[in-house]
């Protein structure tokens, strides 16, 4: 287990995110039954499928995480306006996969709305049931690497960065809980008990009742009654945290997530980030990593984010 150093786990978090994203991309929106009929079980990077892309192609989940990672590395601090500018530039590049709330918020940014208000406007305009997507939790893990040793700053950066596109309290708290959990895994807090970092995260930060109710069984090591792979942030976090913290390996966790179908790339990505932080980069299958064009950048970026001392976030 030599790769279970904090740095090996930090690299595992970003590379695991990309592995889950790219493995899930071809089966996004499919049902588990359809996937079983067509593929048996998806365990290899596949070409075509949903989005008709080559094998190993990442989607918005990893691309937006890279926007955040590049901003942190190049600015040397959490700079929300710079993060928002990078989201806009990415959107203007014409990505094949972009979530509805994210697209609405980015159009607000294009119209000159401030980053702290763009997601708030989208949130107010949407009814319950369509206002708490998983588009911010899927991209937020770079902050856990950058602020692993300053959890108050990690909490603030996670929440403010979410609010650029996803201002619902469940989305903002979801990013804070996910990142506190990942930070705990990086520093070895989950070695004896993999659920301990999630328990610590739920104890340490404000979490809306419905998100807390979904995550407390997971934090006790109890399998939730019905795991769902949807775009709702509460479902995504419950499923991804359960799969990543209960699995015997990162590969099993990610394969299980992707084969649920539904929001397969994002549930795969969040599962992969947590499982990668838990088991380390060397636990990720080489046959997957070899297909990912961004592998080198993700590795280097994880190193930079983990090793740089970032100023506290106000
Ligand atoms: Mg995606």
């Amino acid at each position: 287990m030599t790769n279970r150093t904090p740095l090996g786990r930090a690299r595992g978090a970003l590379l695991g995110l990309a592995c889950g994203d790219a493995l899930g991309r071809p089966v996004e929106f499919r049902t588990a039954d359809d996937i079983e009929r067509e593929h048996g079980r998806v365990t290899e990077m596949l070409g075509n499928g949903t989005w008709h892309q080559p094998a190993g192609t990442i989607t918005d989940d990893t691309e937006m995480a890279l926007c955040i990672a590049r901003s942190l590395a190049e600015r040397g601090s959490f700079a929300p306006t710079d993060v928002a500018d990078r989201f806009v530039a990415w959107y203007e590049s014409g990505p094949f996969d972009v979530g509805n709330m994210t697209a609405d918020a980015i159009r607000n940014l294009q119209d000159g709305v401030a980053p702290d208000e763009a997601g708030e406007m989208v949130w107010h305009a949407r009814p319950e049931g369509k206002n708490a997507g998983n588009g911010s939790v899927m991209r937020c893990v770079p902050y856990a690497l950058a602020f692993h040793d300053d959890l108050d700053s990690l909490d603030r950066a996670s929440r403010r960065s979410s609010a650029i596109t996803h201002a619902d309290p469940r989305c903002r708290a979801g990013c804070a809980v996910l990142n506190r959990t990942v930070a705990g895994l990086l520093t070895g807090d989950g070695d004896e008990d993999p659920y301990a970092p999630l328990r610590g995260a739920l104890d340490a930060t404000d979490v809306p009742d419905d998100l807390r109710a979904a995550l407390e069984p997971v934090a006790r090591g109890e399998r939730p009654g019905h795991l769902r792979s949807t775009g709702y942030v509460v479902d995504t976090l419950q499923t991804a945290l359960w799969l990543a913290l209960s699995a015997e390996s990162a590969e099993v966790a990610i394969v299980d997530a992707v084969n649920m179908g539904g929001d397969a790339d994002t549930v795969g990505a969040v599962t992969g980030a947590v499982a990668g932080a838990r088991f380390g980069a060397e636990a990720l299958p080489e046959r997957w990593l070899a297909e990912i064009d961004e592998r080198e950048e993700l590795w280097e970026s994880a190193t930079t984010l983990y090793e740089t001392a970032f100023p506290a976030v106000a």
Side-chain angles (χ1 to χ4, degrees):
M1 294 300 170
T2 52
N3 68 318
R4 291 195 190 184
T5 60
L7 182 55
R9 294 173 195 261
R11 290 167 175 153
L14 289 197
L15 290 167
L17 177 88
C19 283
D21 183 16
L23 195 75
R25 185 210 72 252
V27 292
E28 188 180 6
F29 309 131
R30 308 292 298 278
T31 67
D33 288 346
D34 282 346
I35 293 170
E36 194 178 350
R37 260 194 301 278
E38 187 169 340
H39 301 286
R41 193 160 170 77
V42 174
T43 60
E44 309 301 322
M45 294 292 177
L46 301 174
N48 300 309
T50 314
W51 306 116
H52 304 288
Q53 299 291 317
T57 305
I58 59 169
T59 79
D60 53 345
D61 309 59
T62 311
E63 288 172 349
M64 295 189 83
L66 278 169
C67 290
I68 289 170
R70 291 174 190 141
S71 178
L72 284 164
E74 290 172 28
R75 298 295 296 265
S77 65
F78 172 57
T81 301
D82 184 68
V83 172
D85 287 347
R86 289 171 195 264
F87 289 169
V88 171
W90 166 78
Y91 182 70
E92 291 175 350
S93 77
F96 61 84
D97 184 16
V98 53
N100 295 329
M101 293 185 73
T102 295
D104 288 354
I106 289 175
R107 284 191 286 269
N108 290 337
L109 293 168
Q110 288 174 314
D111 290 343
V113 176
D116 284 341
E117 293 162 23
E120 189 92 7
M121 283 175 60
V122 174
W123 181 51
H124 283 301
R126 284 174 164 262
E128 174 59 28
K130 294 188 184 306
N131 59 1
N134 56 16
S136 61
V137 296
M138 74 184 193
R139 67 179 188 233
C140 72
V141 160
Y143 297 116
L145 279 55
F147 298 105
H148 66 272
D149 54 358
D150 177 358
L151 298 181
D152 289 334
S153 289
L154 176 57
D155 207 289
R156 286 192 278 268
S158 299
R159 289 171 186 269
R160 284 187 66 190
S161 183
S162 176
I164 297 171
T165 57
H166 291 66
D168 187 281
R170 293 163 290 190
C171 302
R172 287 185 285 147
C175 290
V177 168
L178 176 65
N179 274 340
R180 281 177 175 269
T181 303
V182 169
L185 291 167
L186 295 184
T187 46
D189 292 352
D191 285 357
E192 297 295 316
D193 172 1
Y195 308 100
L198 175 58
R199 280 201 301 279
L202 290 172
D203 286 346
T205 195
D206 284 340
V207 181
D209 290 344
D210 39 3
L211 180 59
R212 183 174 292 278
L215 298 184
E216 277 181 343
V218 177
R220 291 192 297 267
E222 296 166 12
R223 190 183 199 282
H226 190 65
L227 295 173
R228 296 176 184 85
S229 179
T230 76
Y232 177 37
V233 64
V234 172
D235 287 347
T236 299
L237 284 171
Q238 184 187 52
T239 297
L241 284 163
W242 170 255
L243 293 177
L245 298 177
S246 66
E248 66 196 41
S249 72
E251 182 174 350
V252 166
I254 293 167
V255 167
D256 282 351
V258 162
N259 282 276
M260 292 177 70
D263 204 353
D265 59 329
T266 295
V267 177
V270 177
T271 302
V274 177
R278 183 175 164 216
F279 293 104
E282 288 169 37
L284 296 166
E286 173 59 28
R287 67 183 199 281
W288 292 353
L289 294 172
E291 301 275 7
I292 296 173
D293 290 345
E294 296 78 6
R295 171 189 194 167
E296 194 73 25
E297 181 180 2
L298 290 161
W299 175 279
E300 296 295 338
S301 176
T303 311
T304 301
L305 296 185
Y306 186 79
E307 291 185 340
T308 302
F310 289 92
V313 177

